[in-house]
Amino acid sequence: MMSVTVAAPTSSAAGAYLSRSSRRRFTVALRSDVSVTPTRILTNLKHECATPLPLLQQVAKAMSDDMRAGLGLGPGSELGLPMIPTYVENLPTGNEKGLFYALDLGGTNFRVLRVQLGGKDERVIATEFDQVSIPQDLMFATSQELFDFIASGLAKFASKEDGRFHISKGRKREIGFTFSFPVKQTSIDSGILIKWTKGFAVSGTAGRDVVACLNEAMERQRIDMRVSALVNDTVGTLAGAEYWDNDVVAAVILGTGTNACYVEQISAIPKLQGYASSSGKMIISTEWGAFSNSLPLTEFDREMDAASINPGEQIFEKTISGMYLGEIVRRVLLKMTEEGGLFGKSVPQELSTPFILGTPDLCTMQQDCSGDLHAVGSLLYDIAGVESNLSERKTVLEVCETIVKRGGSLAGAGIVGILEKMEEDQRGLIFGNGNRSVVAIDGGLYENYPQYRAYLQSSVKELLGIEKSKNVVIEHTKDGSGIGASLLAASNSIYKQNL
Ligand code: BGC
């Protein structure tokens, strides 16, 4: 192969596609041989990614089995899902009152929020939030740098509290801290980071209590607040959704990463043997991103996993969540280009850059209804300097469709696995006549990608069948996790007796 660098044209046909980077220079290599056609690669891909009903049933069953194994004690439990006890035993009642803060660290953005809760009648009186995207270098920083970033964001936000928010004399402001990584909770307000996910590789946090890390950073910033609840984003979402709808039984996040939580009976959690719970229940964070059984994986998934910072881990997450769908498609397109001559003789080197194609890009392309797939052509040109014809654009769309269909369908199977596990243990609870079982879903992938959402919903319907489907409601909850975390801070407040 021979490499040449070309200036992005401004007056050729491709020039019409320029929208994002009109002065970029693209490097292309010239390929001389074709070993396999793009059509052949696409056919194999579709075959390997197919999610027929029997496969989805197998995935749902494997999810239930791995949940059960992970709740167990002793040999075999390590083969199951993490199934993390959250120490959330009671969901918000609606009586919560006062001023509470929430911090949310978990994916692309860091959020701070305050809410004035008014009890049963007034509910949420006022709310305000701030959001910043997490600088890339912070994901590879030291623990102290990361927590200082969080605490200084909090300090800045807290200094702008206006008259709509007020706190009783003598009380500290309390915080619900949403920390969306696998944490071994030791109580409702403490927990040790097991490992980072979603591309974070901050040094010095794994094995430490993340609330202690935050407290130390707050001290450095001279912030006098108290963390009253440490929650996963799924748990915040469940609490926030349940505040408005008592039929919510589970919550799922489908964003940069993925996870699900649900309400479990203490008696069904052997690893909490002897634990006295006030309600007989506890929310379990499944950490289903770690699931890997029965999944239809391809060479592209395996290669992406091998190149990741956590090889062998979070396989379900790497197959269905927003951080990875674009990257899988990029890997397929690269092979089609290098070995199959997609886009003619040139192999755009930009396509060799990991993560250059994001899941939002796939979404943009899939919304293109124009006859010549203009938006697809434009995006391919902007990102990779590729000049494409209609047939090549159609191929690209089919690759997107295949990977997104697999992701959405498998996410649906995971949800059914959870519902079936709950139903098996408490017959009639989920699918019983007249029941309404709500699964609250949040996260940018679910919210913004209509095709993904549709595949998820149709997979749930297909698996449950008409009768059971009548009882199950899949509901989108937007930004419920912040309010949920503050509600949990309220229900675990040190001043609770006075509420
Ligand atoms: C984390 C979970 C989190 C999920 C969604 C995963 O990578 O392990 O704790 O809930 O992402 O944010």
Side-chain angles (χ1 to χ4, degrees):
M1 266 193 211
M2 189 175 82
S3 271
V4 287
T5 300
V6 293
T10 48
S11 57
S12 70
Y17 299 138
L18 297 179
S19 57
R20 286 202 290 196
S21 54
S22 54
R23 282 198 202 93
R24 279 178 64 179
R25 296 178 80 80
F26 299 112
T27 307
V28 296
L30 298 181
R31 194 193 25 72
S32 49
D33 54 329
V34 166
S35 51
V36 53
T37 64
T39 314
R40 182 73 187 277
I41 297 172
L42 183 61
T43 308
N44 281 346
L45 183 77
K46 283 183 177 170
H47 177 70
E48 288 178 344
C49 291
T51 48
L53 184 58
L55 181 130
L56 292 176
Q57 284 165 332
Q58 205 180 330
V59 170
K61 167 85 171 60
M63 182 65 79
S64 303
D65 292 348
D66 283 8
M67 288 170 70
R68 212 175 281 285
L71 290 170
L73 253 185
S77 57
E78 73 289 351
L79 299 175
L81 291 180
M83 302 300 282
I84 295 172
T86 62
Y87 296 90
V88 174
E89 298 166 33
N90 294 292
L91 285 163
T93 57
N95 291 324
E96 295 76 10
K97 273 189 180 169
L99 170 61
F100 293 91
Y101 274 70
L103 293 181
D104 186 341
L105 179 81
T108 322
N109 298 312
F110 165 64
R111 287 163 63 97
V112 252
L113 172 134
R114 68 182 139 246
V115 55
Q116 189 75 38
L117 297 169
K120 272 252 152 38
D121 298 330
E122 294 177 283
R123 294 273 166 154
V124 176
I125 299 173
T127 173
E128 195 171 29
F129 78 94
D130 211 354
Q131 171 168 310
V132 288
S133 65
I134 297 173
Q136 193 69 17
D137 52 348
L138 215 55
M139 293 167 71
F140 299 90
T142 64
S143 193
Q144 180 161 336
E145 284 164 338
L146 176 69
F147 283 93
D148 280 348
F149 170 82
I150 298 175
S152 74
L154 172 63
K156 217 185 293 155
F157 181 68
S159 68
K160 290 181 289 189
E161 198 175 283
D162 65 35
R164 291 173 301 156
F165 301 92
H166 44 86
I167 192 154
S168 308
K169 247 196 157 158
R171 288 188 178 192
K172 280 192 184 192
R173 282 165 178 74
E174 292 180 278
I175 303 171
F177 181 23
T178 305
F179 185 78
S180 306
F181 299 93
V183 163
K184 183 174 170 22
Q185 292 230 204
T186 36
S187 69
I188 181 67
D189 58 5
S190 62
I192 290 160
L193 175 68
I194 302 170
K195 61 181 184 189
W196 290 107
T197 55
K198 297 176 278 200
F200 277 71
V202 174
S203 57
T205 325
R208 286 210 62 201
D209 178 358
V210 293
V211 175
C213 294
L214 178 59
N215 282 335
E216 287 160 17
M218 290 201 299
E219 261 170 44
R220 287 192 288 273
Q221 295 282 336
R222 302 187 197 295
I223 303 173
D224 190 19
M225 294 192 184
R226 179 179 182 277
V227 177
S228 298
L230 170 66
V231 297
N232 184 266
D233 49 359
T234 53
V235 178
T237 299
L238 201 155
E242 217 266 351
Y243 186 61
W244 302 107
D245 182 344
N246 290 332
D247 292 335
V248 178
V249 294
V252 176
I253 296 286
L254 288 161
T256 308
T258 184
N259 188 14
C261 75
Y262 71 107
V263 183
E264 184 56 285
Q265 304 293 309
I266 290 285
S267 57
I269 317 176
K271 67 182 179 188
L272 276 190
Q273 225 173 40
Y275 180 82
S277 146
S278 54
S279 64
K281 296 178 184 170
M282 187 180 286
I283 299 184
I284 296 288
S285 165
T286 63
E287 284 294 344
W288 79 1
F291 176 73
S292 62
N293 273 337
S294 312
L295 297 177
L297 301 177
T298 66
E299 64 182 282
F300 306 103
D301 302 295
R302 284 184 275 273
E303 284 165 12
M304 178 180 73
D305 175 47
S308 71
I309 53 172
N310 53 353
E313 291 177 2
Q314 300 294 102
I315 303 299
F316 194 46
E317 177 160 277
K318 286 172 181 162
T319 317
I320 70 164
S321 85
M323 176 160 171
Y324 302 99
L325 299 182
E327 172 62 4
I328 303 170
V329 169
R330 179 195 70 84
R331 286 174 176 270
V332 179
L333 296 183
L334 184 63
K335 177 168 174 162
M336 286 180 159
T337 314
E338 284 183 342
E339 296 178 25
L342 182 73
F343 310 130
K345 275 206 176 302
S346 59
V347 179
Q349 295 298 286
E350 271 66 20
L351 222 42
S352 307
T353 310
F355 292 94
I356 194 137
L357 196 62
T359 302
D361 298 322
L362 310 190
C363 181
T364 303
M365 291 195 280
Q366 282 209 269
Q367 309 322 309
D368 187 355
C369 304
S370 66
D372 63 347
L373 296 176
H374 183 84
V376 177
S378 169
L379 197 136
L380 288 172
Y381 188 80
D382 278 358
I383 286 188
V386 162
E387 290 189 49
S388 52
N389 61 35
L390 184 57
S391 136
E392 289 161 344
R393 291 174 200 170
K394 282 185 179 161
T395 303
V396 171
L397 275 189
E398 283 201 67
V399 175
C400 298
E401 169 77 7
T402 307
I403 299 304
V404 168
K405 178 176 186 187
R406 180 185 66 165
S409 307
L410 291 173
I415 291 173
V416 171
I418 293 182
L419 295 176
E420 279 176 347
K421 152 78 178 72
M422 295 174 87
E423 174 73 13
E424 269 167 34
D425 287 1
Q426 303 164 71
R427 295 242 167 253
L429 176 83
I430 302 294
F431 305 132
N433 258 351
N435 274 2
R436 189 173 160 270
S437 300
V438 178
V439 179
I441 309 191
D442 199 2
L445 177 58
Y446 187 77
E447 185 184 350
N448 301 320
Y449 208 140
Q451 284 84 353
Y452 185 95
R453 206 164 51 227
Y455 281 124
L456 182 151
Q457 287 165 353
S458 78
S459 154
V460 170
K461 275 214 177 93
E462 194 184 3
L463 279 161
L464 291 179
I466 296 174
E467 276 313 303
K468 287 182 184 170
S469 292
K470 284 185 189 153
N471 302 340
V472 173
V473 182
I474 306 281
E475 208 165 69
H476 174 221
T477 346
K478 194 163 160 47
D479 299 332
S481 116
I483 299 275
S486 37
L487 285 164
L488 290 170
S491 42
N492 293 291
S493 163
I494 39 167
Y495 312 109
K496 198 169 151 195
Q497 296 82 331
N498 310 328
L499 280 178

